[in-house]
Amino acid sequence: MSSNGNNGHIPFVDLVTLHKELQDELVPVFRTALETAGFIGGPMVEQFEMNFATFCDARHCVGVSSGTDALRFALMAAGVQPGEVVITVPNTFIATTEAISQAGARPAFVDIDERTYNMDPAKLQEILETECSLDRETGRPFHRGLQKTISAVVPVHLYGQMADMDPILELARRYNLIVVEDACQAHGAEYFSAKENRWCKAGSMGHAAAFSFYPGKNLGACGEGGAVTTNDAEIARKIRMLRDHGQSKKYYHDIEGYNGRLDSIQAGILHVKLGHLPEWNRKRQEAARRYNDLLSSVDRVIAPYEPEWSRAVYHLYVIRVQDREGLQKHLADAHIGTGIHYPVPLHLQKSYAECGHKLGDFPVTEAVASEILSLPMYPQLQLAQQCRTVEGTTEFVAAGSLR
Ligand SMILES: Cc1ncc(COP(=O)(O)O)c(C=O)c1O
C-alpha cells in the first residue's frame, strides 16, 4: 500500500513520498504534543475542527476516532432510533452499514446508477412509493416487507464523487427522512445544486456528514481519525457528548457514550495536511483528466463518468472492463498495483446473509462489482506512470483478452 515506487514498480497508493515531502511540517506537531503532553483534546483538535468546518462550508465539525464512528454518531445524534430502517447502497465499504447496525437500525439497500456508481434517486423514489405506506403520525414511510419505519438515508459519495443530492434531498423532505452523507471518500468534492443554484461541498448538504481520515484518504491522518460536519448546533452538541462517554462536563454523564475522540497528534497532522488538500485534489483531478485522455482511444474500457453537476476529487480512479481479473493480473505482472472497490456487494456478504438477499436483487451493483478496477491514483502520480498503466491496459485489450 505504501511502497514508494522504486524499481519501476508503480504502487496503487504512494504514502511514502507524500510523508517524506511533508516531514519538516509534520515533525513539529509531534514535538509540540510531547512538550505540552497535550495528547487528548485541546487547541490542536479545536483548530482543526474550525478549519475543516470552513473547508466543508459547514457550521460545525466534531473530530472523532474514525469514519465509522463519525457515521454511527451522526446517525444517532440526528435521531435514528433502534428498530428503524436506514437506506443506503450495496456498492460501498461495509463501514457504512456497520454504523447503521451499531446505531441499532437495520440497513436496507437501493441500487446504484449505472454511470456514476452512486445511489440512483429514481430507485430510491420507487422503493418509497411502491414498497412503503405513509405513517401519518411520523410522516415517514413504513416499509411493508420489513414491517419497520424508514427514518434515514445515507447517500455515499463513493470514489470522491458526490451522489446526486438534489433529488435525494427532495425525497427526504417529502418523506421526513434524516440524511447523513457518507463523505468518507470525498473531502472537497462538490455538487452543483440546481435548486440552490450554487456549488455545494460534500459535508454541507445533509443533516450531518461523516468523513474518514484513514491514512490513504484524500485527507489522511498518520493513524485513525474521522469527523462529522453539520449545520445543526444540536447535532454537533450531541456528537461532542457521544464521542466522550456522554459527558456534558467532566464526570457528569448525561447519557452513556463512547470513547470516540480524535486525538491531538492526529488533529495536528490533519491541520498541516488540510493546507495542502486543495492542491492535492487539483492534482488528482489533473491525473484523472490525463487518464481520461489516454484511455479515450482504448476500446472496451469504460472511464469514470463525471456529470456536469459534479466536481469529483478522485479518491479512486475506477475503470470498468469485462475481464477485470485478467487485466489486474496483467498489470500486476508489469509491476503496476491496482485495487477493487469493492468485489462483493454488501447484500451478498456473509455478514448480511440473514437479510435474505440473493444474486439479482441489485443488478446494477452486481454487474459493476464484477467489472471495476481501481488504477493507481494519488497527487504524486507521474505522467510516465500513467502512460505505462494505460499501455499495459491497451496491450491486454489488443491481445484480445477481453471478452
Ligand atoms: C465509504 C466509506 N465509509 C466509511 C468508511 C469508514 O472509515 P474508517 O475506516 O475511518 O472507519 C470508509 C473508510 O474506508 C469508507 O470508504
Side-chain angles (χ1 to χ4, degrees):
M1 183 195 191
S2 53
S3 155
N4 60 6
N6 287 337
N7 309 321
H9 173 61
I10 303 175
F12 172 58
V13 173
D14 179 5
L15 294 180
V16 173
T17 306
L18 179 145
H19 288 98
K20 274 190 185 152
E21 284 172 6
L22 282 189
Q23 250 186 42
D24 289 349
E25 290 181 75
L26 294 179
V27 168
V29 172
F30 293 96
R31 203 167 285 132
T32 303
L34 290 176
E35 283 167 3
T36 61
F39 299 120
I40 305 291
M44 293 213 277
V45 174
E46 283 159 24
Q47 183 72 57
F48 171 70
E49 288 178 339
M50 258 171 50
N51 291 359
F52 194 64
T54 304
F55 176 82
C56 296
D57 286 339
R59 285 199 201 109
H60 311 275
C61 166
V62 186
V64 297
S65 53
S66 67
T68 311
D69 268 0
L71 277 166
R72 169 169 55 165
F73 298 161
L75 290 163
M76 293 172 79
V80 168
Q81 300 295 322
E84 294 177 339
V85 172
V86 176
I87 296 192
T88 191
V89 286
N91 183 39
T92 179
F93 182 55
I94 193 169
T96 313
T97 43
E98 281 174 335
I100 293 169
S101 302
Q102 288 164 8
R106 183 197 197 282
F109 297 111
V110 59
D111 211 348
I112 57 170
D113 175 78
E114 177 103 41
R115 295 212 290 174
T116 63
Y117 309 144
N118 276 329
M119 182 178 284
D120 183 340
K123 291 189 186 119
L124 175 62
Q125 180 167 3
E126 195 182 311
I127 290 177
L128 296 172
E129 285 178 355
T130 63
E131 296 180 24
C132 303
S133 325
L134 198 65
D135 177 341
R136 290 195 189 284
E137 219 171 281
T138 60
R140 287 182 164 159
F142 181 79
H143 195 280
R144 289 188 296 272
L146 297 172
Q147 286 290 297
K148 291 179 193 299
T149 300
I150 300 174
S151 60
V153 55
V154 179
V156 182
H157 305 324
L158 205 67
Y159 310 147
Q161 171 151 282
M162 286 181 71
D164 188 0
M165 291 300 286
D166 270 355
I168 294 171
L169 289 171
E170 179 49 37
L171 285 167
R173 263 186 291 273
R174 200 183 306 161
Y175 287 97
N176 191 23
L177 298 175
I178 295 161
V179 178
V180 172
E181 299 168 63
D182 183 338
C184 285
Q185 299 190 4
H187 319 68
E190 290 177 280
Y191 173 83
F192 187 81
S193 165
K195 181 159 186 283
E196 298 198 23
N197 195 28
R198 66 182 177 92
W199 287 93
C200 300
K201 280 274 187 76
S204 70
M205 298 196 78
H207 293 92
F211 289 87
S212 164
F213 302 129
Y214 189 74
K217 297 290 197 260
N218 289 32
L219 178 62
C222 295
E224 303 280 355
V228 179
T229 55
T230 178
N231 290 319
D232 185 322
E234 184 54 17
I235 291 178
R237 188 188 68 82
K238 284 186 186 153
I239 293 170
R240 285 183 202 286
M241 283 171 57
L242 284 169
R243 75 171 171 182
D244 197 14
H245 301 288
Q247 300 186 120
S248 51
K249 62 179 179 176
K250 201 165 173 71
Y251 300 136
Y252 287 79
H253 307 271
D254 297 1
I255 52 171
E256 266 193 1
Y258 299 84
N259 180 353
R261 298 170 295 244
L262 175 67
D263 78 66
S264 316
I265 292 178
Q266 299 309 335
I269 285 162
L270 290 165
H271 173 71
V272 168
K273 289 188 175 182
L274 183 57
H276 295 272
L277 183 59
E279 190 203 338
W280 289 339
N281 279 346
R282 260 196 310 279
K283 287 188 169 169
R284 285 175 183 268
Q285 288 163 337
E286 269 169 36
R289 273 194 289 275
R290 288 199 301 260
Y291 267 138
N292 290 345
D293 288 347
L294 291 165
L295 284 167
S296 61
S297 54
V298 185
D299 271 353
R300 286 177 291 186
V301 171
I302 300 173
Y305 170 66
E306 200 176 328
E308 274 178 11
W309 45 257
S310 167
R311 287 183 188 148
V313 289
Y314 290 93
H315 172 56
L316 296 168
Y317 185 90
V318 179
I319 60 166
R320 193 171 164 187
V321 292
Q322 273 177 21
D323 184 4
R324 178 262 308 283
E325 268 78 19
L327 176 57
Q328 184 170 42
K329 181 172 181 314
H330 183 79
L331 292 176
D333 290 345
H335 307 288
I336 299 168
T338 56
I340 299 174
H341 303 88
Y342 297 90
V344 181
L346 290 185
H347 66 286
L348 300 176
Q349 295 279 0
K350 270 192 208 154
S351 47
Y352 295 115
E354 68 182 35
C355 294
H357 286 298
K358 57 183 187 322
L359 200 66
D361 282 357
F362 301 99
V364 180
T365 295
E366 290 163 17
V368 165
S370 65
E371 294 184 350
I372 43 180
L373 189 68
S374 309
L375 300 184
M377 170 54 79
Y378 30 93
Q380 296 75 16
L381 188 66
Q382 301 293 312
L383 173 62
Q385 295 175 309
Q386 294 191 266
C387 287
R388 255 186 64 204
T389 304
V390 174
E391 270 162 32
T393 305
T394 311
E395 268 164 29
F396 184 73
V397 175
S401 309
L402 296 178
R403 320 234 169 266

